[in-house]
Amino acid sequence: NAGVMQNPRHLVRRRGQEARLRCSPMKGHSHVYWYRQLPEEGLKFMVYLQKENIIDESGMPKERFSAEFPKEGPSILRIQQVVRGDSAAYFCASSPLQGLDTEAFFGQGTRLTVV
Amino acid sequence: SQQGEEDPQALSIQEGENATMNCSYKTSINNLQWYRQNSGRGLVHLILIRSNEREKHSGRLRVTLDTSKKSSSLLITASRAADTASYFCATEDSGGSNYKLTFGKGTLLTVNP
């Protein structure tokens, strides 16, 4: 039973390019959460999705960021026109039911570097 | 402002010693969780303690929760070099959603062999 899979593990983008981060939840999990970790900081909530629905995107920057979790395939976090400040580690977590108030399963993260 | 604040920011001990990390928070919570993150890696869930619990054990880990002081501590006994990592506390606010965990900045633990 593979864990939460994120790819790529490392991503380098030039300013102005697009970054697409993928997250495949654990088998049987239909709830996905994205968190961002800036250097020397803890994780901060970005967005919560169920299949084909965005439930809560209150932690997402208003511009350039979007997320989706289609019926088939992984969840995608998309950052358009990246800037240096987007450099961070982006983590995905999944759960079988809503909530991370039991054991939470986080992926290994995607480390985005904007040059 | 940070909901969870770990203390100390960094801790260096010798193998075999005990390590204690503290976490303070500001709001009422449903539960508090501790995670470990090895350098450049993902998060590993260590233990969850609910607001009506005062102490919990898991192997060499002991977590306490004092809701009156809004604080928690993580004790790692008989530390090993492999325990070297950053440790984060994360809270689920009682007035919030159970998928929004608020993380502190972490304590960097170094266990010297």
Side-chain angles (χ1 to χ4, degrees):
Chain A
N1 185 11
V4 177
M5 304 299 292
Q6 291 188 247
N7 67 81
R9 292 289 306 278
H10 300 274
L11 183 62
V12 179
R13 284 287 177 267
R14 295 187 183 279
R15 280 179 295 171
Q17 290 185 318
E18 178 179 288
R20 292 172 71 88
L21 289 63
R22 288 177 290 278
C23 168
S24 296
M26 287 185 69
K27 188 176 180 180
H29 288 193
S30 59
H31 301 255
V32 165
Y33 319 84
W34 285 93
Y35 281 73
R36 177 166 67 173
Q37 184 180 30
L38 295 169
E40 310 297 324
E41 298 279 331
L43 278 69
K44 286 189 168 46
F45 170 80
M46 298 182 76
V47 62
Y48 162 40
L49 309 105
Q50 293 178 22
K51 286 281 187 182
E52 300 183 276
N53 286 304
I54 297 174
I55 308 302
D56 184 343
E57 56 181 349
S58 59
M60 291 270 275
K62 293 288 185 282
E63 298 176 348
R64 302 186 298 107
F65 284 71
S66 62
E68 63 176 9
F69 189 15
K71 187 176 180 181
E72 300 291 337
S75 175
I76 305 288
L77 179 67
R78 183 182 177 206
I79 311 173
Q80 295 177 291
Q81 299 175 325
V82 296
V83 301
R84 289 238 170 94
D86 297 333
S87 294
Y90 292 82
F91 290 93
C92 168
S94 74
S95 64
L97 301 172
Q98 176 177 312
L100 296 175
D101 54 352
T102 55
E103 184 173 358
F105 299 91
F106 278 86
Q108 293 288 303
T110 293
R111 277 150 186 84
L112 172 66
T113 302
V114 179
V115 297
Chain B
S1 60
Q2 290 287 337
Q3 163 70 329
E5 294 280 354
E6 290 90 345
D7 167 56
Q9 289 187 341
L11 180 61
S12 181
I13 59 174
Q14 295 299 123
E15 211 166 21
E17 293 180 339
N18 295 342
T20 299
M21 288 158 273
N22 302 297
C23 169
S24 61
Y25 57 91
K26 294 182 172 63
T27 64
S28 296
I29 62 171
N30 287 333
N31 65 67
L32 185 145
Q33 305 180 34
W34 285 91
Y35 288 84
R36 184 184 73 221
Q37 184 180 36
N38 291 79
S39 178
R41 305 294 294 275
L43 289 167
V44 174
H45 183 272
L46 295 176
I47 200 164
L48 179 151
I49 186 165
R50 301 196 183 279
S51 60
N52 60 353
E53 297 175 309
R54 291 296 166 259
E55 188 171 314
K56 209 161 182 180
H57 297 256
S58 177
R60 294 184 295 114
L61 305 180
R62 172 177 168 254
V63 168
T64 63
L65 179 65
D66 187 336
T67 53
S68 66
K69 294 181 180 178
K70 291 186 167 56
S71 66
S72 173
S73 67
L74 171 67
L75 169 67
I76 304 174
T77 60
S79 63
R80 306 166 182 167
D83 294 328
T84 294
S86 290
Y87 291 82
F88 295 89
C89 68
T91 55
E92 178 201 321
D93 296 349
S94 59
S97 307
N98 64 348
Y99 49 82
K100 279 187 187 176
L101 296 177
T102 304
F103 286 81
K105 292 186 178 182
T107 291
L108 176 60
L109 173 66
T110 302
V111 182
N112 301 300

